[in-house]
Amino acid sequence: LETDIATSKAIRYSYAIRQQNEQIDSEWGETRIVKLPKTSKQLHISDSWRTTTGESPFRTSIFSECFFTRSPAKKIAQSGDLMLSIHFAQVKPGQHIAISGNQDALGNWNPSKKVKLNESKFPYWSVALQTSQINFPLEYKYLLVDSMTDEVILWEDGSNRCLNAVAPNTNTIVHDEHFKSTSLLWKAAGVAIP
């Protein structure tokens, strides 16, 4: 999709599929909002269809406003032409998300040099990087970190996330939809009385 974004401050969008019988199937979740960089050359957004996952209930207000409620985070000034972001709601107060990868800018897989992500739009977490400081391909994983001790609680499962290249003179936003983990991060028990 190409559009003129010169006069816009943000883009709002979601994905839908029109079936042959004219039925429209929409992706799960809220409308996506991307604030446009002030010095936007071209913008490339890399994301994927949102399906319901085991994380889906945690995206509801009962969890974000009760169980995982957070004090308003101080906004971190971010500058860079590559934005990596992830939606992860199961982060308890006293925890945060960081990133580590195969680049100096991401600590070269050394957990003590991990980079903390901006949480000012919780449950969305983000980090801005300068592509001039990256030797592609970029490989990375997100980490769940204890904010008091700065110890890594959990690395993402599975293979590394990989970004092979970005177009020159382009701002790139990569939305990683969920934290890859088979570990149960939150447990509860209760009784429902009709």
Side-chain angles (χ1 to χ4, degrees):
L1 171 67
E2 288 189 24
T3 185
D4 181 9
I5 59 172
T7 60
S8 300
K9 292 183 180 178
I11 298 172
R12 296 174 184 270
Y13 67 100
S14 60
Y15 294 107
I17 297 174
R18 183 180 303 223
Q19 304 292 344
Q20 289 179 345
N21 64 3
E22 298 298 313
Q23 176 183 335
I24 296 177
D25 295 328
S26 298
E27 69 176 344
W28 187 88
E30 64 277 350
T31 300
R32 300 165 190 257
I33 301 171
V34 174
K35 290 191 177 180
L36 301 175
K38 291 177 182 160
T39 58
S40 187
K41 311 158 203 164
Q42 287 188 11
L43 179 64
H44 176 86
I45 301 171
S46 174
D47 57 17
S48 57
W49 179 272
R50 273 192 201 133
T51 60
T52 56
T53 65
E55 166 97 356
S56 299
F58 297 105
R59 293 185 179 209
T60 61
S61 62
I62 187 68
F63 287 97
S64 64
E65 295 173 13
C66 292
F67 294 110
F68 301 126
T69 189
R70 306 176 80 78
S71 300
K74 190 170 132 181
K75 188 170 182 176
I76 299 171
Q78 297 190 84
S79 64
D81 53 357
L82 172 59
M83 176 78 67
L84 301 176
S85 70
I86 186 169
H87 184 285
F88 191 36
Q90 287 189 66
V91 181
K92 299 173 190 170
Q95 298 176 342
H96 66 269
I97 299 298
I99 189 170
S100 186
N102 68 340
Q103 307 287 321
D104 288 341
L106 296 179
N108 284 313
W109 298 115
N110 182 340
S112 66
K113 295 181 180 178
K114 62 194 169 297
V115 177
K116 182 178 179 179
L117 272 65
N118 182 349
E119 65 177 293
S120 64
K121 294 182 181 162
F122 178 81
Y124 293 93
W125 302 80
S126 64
V127 64
L129 304 170
Q130 290 289 344
T131 56
S132 61
Q133 298 174 359
I134 296 173
N135 295 315
F136 289 94
L138 168 64
E139 293 187 22
Y140 61 98
K141 283 190 175 195
Y142 294 104
L143 299 80
L144 179 63
V145 179
D146 183 302
S147 298
M148 295 295 284
T149 65
D150 203 37
E151 293 295 318
V152 175
I153 298 168
L154 183 67
W155 285 76
E156 276 192 299
D157 291 340
S159 58
N160 299 338
R161 296 179 188 264
C162 187
L163 183 59
N164 289 316
V166 296
N169 301 316
T170 301
N171 287 313
T172 302
I173 299 172
V174 177
H175 290 294
D176 294 314
E177 279 301 317
H178 64 279
F179 189 90
K180 299 185 292 186
S181 176
T182 55
S183 300
L184 292 174
L185 299 175
W186 192 82
K187 297 177 186 177
V191 176
I193 302 173

